[in-house]
Amino acid sequence: MKNKKLLWLVSLLAMLTFVLAACAGDGESESKSEGEGSGEEGSGSGGDLVIALPSDIVSLSPQGANDIPSGQVADNIYETLTVLDENQEPQPSLAKEWKEVDETTWEFQLQEGVKFHDGEALTAEVVKKNFDRLVDEKIASPRAFLFEAVESVEAKDDLTLVIKLKYPYAPLLANLAHNGTAIMSPKIIDEDYAQMEDGGDADAYINKNPMGTGPFKLDEWKAGEEVVISRNDDYWGDKAKLDTAKFKVVSEQSARVAELETSVAHVADQIGPNNISRVEGMDGASVLQEPSTSLAYVGFNLKKEPFDDKKVRQAVSMAINKEEIISGVYNNVGIPAKGPLAPPVFGYDENVAGLEFDVEKAKELLAEAGYEDGFKTTIWTNDNEQRVDTAVTIQNQLKEIGVEVEIEELEWGAFLDRTSNGEHDMFVLGWSTSTGDADYGMYPLFHSSALGETGNRTFLENEELDKILDEARRSSDREERQKLYTEAQEMLVDLAPMIYTHHQEYLLGVSDKVKDFGINAEGIYQIKQAYIEE
């Protein structure tokens, strides 16, 4: 594992090859059918893995949050109907096979003999119960958009599930690999509804009693501190090798690196570009650097003045030197973004021209909008060090056009809540296109039906854009979809709801004792085959 640092262009070409071969991708780097570890003694098994990560999880319900830290844990407790292999092609998971009956009807055969952690059996009725809950307005799941195209779900018999669509929808199998569609035990769903009737919040019971079919089960969640999961020895497939995995919240980047250095943690996530040489110089650790399908961005609140004016948004965007952010904050790790889609994502168009860095043009646009003397505003960020440094860089750059920026740093949970409520002016955040398809990379970020927690925190509402995104997800023709997504990207450059800063790479420090650990392009740790070699 010694120094897996990759050149972006080499990684990009490799990823582009397999992503364009499939319409979408997400979740797993390899399928159940290829094995997830034998768990046999003597084959490399066991150990208690400790991962130092920057933020706490928000929810242990797969339907309860839309953040990556929560997904890291949920991905190991719960499972989905499909997974995606290393070529981003759908493979069997809880569904062993499927067929397209017609362009709006899909039939899935479930695995036999699968049990949840609490002993309940997996059936088609259970899957239907999960999917019905996902779109239940009383639950208000931020991941309900994954089933926007679904008309109905039916249990044909104990192990046969039928999904009927409102219209042909190309990304369906990729969406079914997203952990937002993961399957929970029917008992915890019933118990959660029961406590809601007594005045409780959705997911309150599930957060304390997560029960899936996955290779790990929850041991303990200490909010703000750590989550511990342990191997499920009754797992229906190939058992995990690790005894336990601990997701330890260590908010400061330097502290995460120190935990790796002192062997307190085996993995330090988000070490930051400035710590690459430090980790490379460690005895017994190395850097894992992998490309991503993610976007780092600075969003505007289009419901607030002056950002309700397109000229102001364009002006601020053109006053930002992205190269300076990439070089100064990210130590040249990443590439400038022209729009929301990273190059490996289906739908990306390299010919779309972004807003160029042009301070004088930015000043002209501000004057045209009536802000020739500038204005005052705030920019929010969580305690991620690169995001804070990005905010500082933007603060300094915007002084050139007379815009005074105050930086406010919020705790992660509060940051998500308040930006979803529209309380902000500007904010620094990111989005991972977790299916490798433009539908996921654009619909939840920009469609007017996805305002707030679902993903549209800029509160952009544009009927023409909505129509294009709706048409693109309804088409099964690859060329037609590409044309529509190109048009949408060109519109988004003009509408400028956010500053598309760059597409990042994942940087982790990993102990040499850890074997078969990885991170996929969507930012989810791959620990199901990992083990500790002592």
Side-chain angles (χ1 to χ4, degrees):
M1 290 183 64
K2 198 68 177 174
N3 191 10
K4 291 181 65 181
K5 180 176 182 181
L6 303 175
L7 293 174
W8 171 269
L9 288 177
V10 176
S11 302
L12 175 58
L13 289 173
M15 290 186 67
L16 192 57
T17 299
F18 65 68
V19 173
L20 291 182
C23 198
D26 183 23
E28 307 292 337
S29 64
E30 48 204 4
S31 71
K32 293 284 192 316
S33 59
E34 295 170 338
E36 290 186 332
S38 66
E40 296 176 2
E41 293 300 324
S43 63
S45 63
D48 300 303
L49 180 69
V50 179
I51 302 172
L53 73 170
S55 302
D56 193 15
I57 68 173
V58 175
S59 175
L60 283 174
S61 165
Q63 300 175 4
N66 207 21
D67 64 300
I68 287 181
S70 297
Q72 299 286 18
V73 179
D75 188 65
N76 296 288
I77 294 175
Y78 305 100
E79 293 179 297
T80 48
L81 294 190
T82 66
V83 294
L84 299 179
D85 63 17
E86 65 276 8
N87 296 315
Q88 303 286 291
E89 294 283 358
Q91 299 293 340
S93 183
L94 292 181
K96 64 180 181 180
E97 59 186 12
W98 51 83
K99 63 181 179 180
E100 186 176 10
V101 179
D102 56 51
E103 64 179 8
T104 57
T105 307
W106 289 77
E107 188 171 288
F108 297 82
Q109 286 296 126
L110 303 183
Q111 302 280 2
E112 299 178 18
V114 177
K115 300 286 187 182
F116 291 90
H117 300 157
D118 57 8
E120 289 289 301
L122 175 73
T123 67
E125 282 291 350
V126 169
V127 177
K128 172 178 168 55
K129 181 188 286 279
N130 274 263
F131 291 163
D132 287 347
R133 184 185 189 276
L134 177 63
V135 298
D136 187 346
E137 293 181 357
K138 292 186 295 185
I139 301 300
S141 171
R143 287 173 159 178
F145 71 90
L146 292 164
F147 260 43
E148 182 77 22
V150 174
E151 177 70 38
S152 65
V153 179
E154 302 171 6
K156 186 175 180 180
D157 57 42
D158 279 356
L159 295 176
T160 306
L161 186 80
V162 177
I163 295 180
K164 292 186 178 295
L165 302 173
K166 301 173 185 175
Y167 43 81
Y169 181 61
L172 176 65
L173 294 178
N175 282 14
L176 291 175
H178 190 287
N179 58 33
T181 67
I183 308 303
M184 299 178 279
S185 165
K187 279 188 176 180
I188 65 172
I189 291 177
D190 290 341
E191 290 289 350
D192 198 70
Y193 271 121
Q195 64 86 27
M196 286 176 63
E197 291 179 2
D198 293 332
D201 295 328
D203 297 314
Y205 183 87
I206 295 170
N207 280 329
K208 295 180 180 179
N209 304 275
M211 298 289 172
T213 61
F216 291 88
K217 54 188 178 182
L218 179 71
D219 273 2
E220 186 177 31
W221 176 18
K222 294 180 180 177
E225 298 181 25
E226 64 186 31
V227 181
V228 181
I229 57 177
S230 62
R231 183 176 59 241
N232 174 18
D233 288 326
D234 296 320
Y235 182 56
W236 63 276
D238 293 329
K239 295 178 177 58
K241 297 179 181 181
L242 291 169
D243 295 312
T244 66
K246 178 188 292 185
F247 301 81
K248 184 179 180 182
V249 180
V250 183
S251 59
E252 292 186 6
Q253 197 171 91
S254 58
R256 292 195 296 278
V257 176
E259 294 226 341
L260 176 68
E261 196 167 29
T262 57
S263 299
V264 174
H266 299 98
V267 177
D269 195 3
Q270 297 186 31
I271 60 171
N274 295 332
N275 284 311
I276 291 177
S277 59
R278 179 180 172 186
V279 174
E280 286 178 337
M282 291 182 189
D283 183 18
S286 59
V287 173
L288 177 62
Q289 182 171 340
E290 298 288 355
S292 77
T293 60
S294 69
L295 166 74
Y297 70 90
V298 178
F300 304 112
N301 187 343
L302 275 63
K303 296 299 184 185
K304 283 189 175 183
E305 294 183 352
F307 299 118
D308 57 345
D309 188 325
K310 183 175 70 173
K311 288 184 178 180
V312 172
R313 302 193 300 270
Q314 291 176 340
V316 173
S317 297
M318 296 179 76
I320 301 304
N321 186 339
K322 299 174 186 178
E323 294 284 0
E324 184 178 326
I325 293 174
I326 295 170
S327 62
V329 176
Y330 290 90
N331 200 22
N332 294 311
V333 177
I335 62 171
K338 296 184 292 185
L341 301 182
V345 175
F346 170 75
Y348 170 81
D349 189 336
E350 64 179 2
N351 296 315
V352 172
L355 293 174
E356 297 296 330
F357 173 57
D358 189 334
V359 173
E360 293 308 312
K361 179 63 175 177
K363 289 178 180 178
E364 290 177 16
L365 287 171
L366 273 189
E368 290 176 15
Y371 294 95
E372 59 273 2
D373 296 325
F375 58 88
K376 294 182 180 180
T377 189
T378 60
I379 187 168
W380 288 3
T381 178
N382 67 314
D383 59 2
N384 176 291
E385 292 182 35
Q386 271 67 52
R387 288 178 181 166
V388 172
D389 289 345
T390 296
V392 171
T393 302
I394 287 174
Q395 181 186 53
N396 291 331
Q397 291 181 351
L398 290 184
K399 290 178 182 177
E400 294 295 314
I401 62 171
V403 176
E404 295 183 29
V405 180
E406 179 183 352
I407 299 171
E408 293 187 23
E409 186 177 320
L410 283 70
E411 180 272 330
W412 178 239
F415 177 85
L416 293 178
D417 286 343
R418 296 182 66 184
T419 52
S420 68
N421 291 335
E423 300 175 32
H424 55 285
D425 293 339
M426 300 171 64
F427 65 104
V428 187
L429 197 54
W431 182 263
S432 179
T433 302
S434 301
T435 63
D437 188 279
D439 182 68
Y440 191 92
M442 302 177 78
Y443 197 95
L445 278 183
F446 305 112
H447 198 278
S448 61
S449 68
L451 300 179
E453 189 178 13
T454 297
N456 187 348
R457 297 169 192 266
T458 63
F459 293 87
L460 171 66
E461 295 183 84
N462 183 281
E463 290 184 5
E464 185 179 355
L465 180 63
D466 283 354
K467 182 179 179 181
I468 293 171
L469 295 180
D470 287 335
E471 288 180 8
R473 61 169 23 198
R474 291 169 184 262
S475 174
S476 56
D477 184 283
R478 187 178 182 84
E479 291 185 5
E480 181 183 1
R481 295 186 75 220
Q482 178 62 68
K483 181 179 178 181
L484 289 166
Y485 285 128
T486 293
E487 187 177 353
Q489 288 168 82
E490 290 171 344
M491 283 190 66
L492 285 165
V493 169
D494 179 63
L495 291 171
M498 56 177 63
I499 304 167
Y500 316 100
T501 57
H502 72 286
H503 305 296
Q504 68 188 65
E505 290 186 332
Y506 300 121
L507 292 172
L508 300 87
V510 183
S511 167
D512 291 346
K513 293 181 179 180
V514 181
K515 306 301 179 183
D516 296 338
F517 171 89
I519 187 169
N520 66 16
E522 293 73 46
I524 301 296
Y525 308 136
Q526 303 298 292
I527 72 170
K528 296 170 187 176
Q529 295 187 61
Y531 63 96
I532 310 296
E533 184 177 77
E534 297 296 344

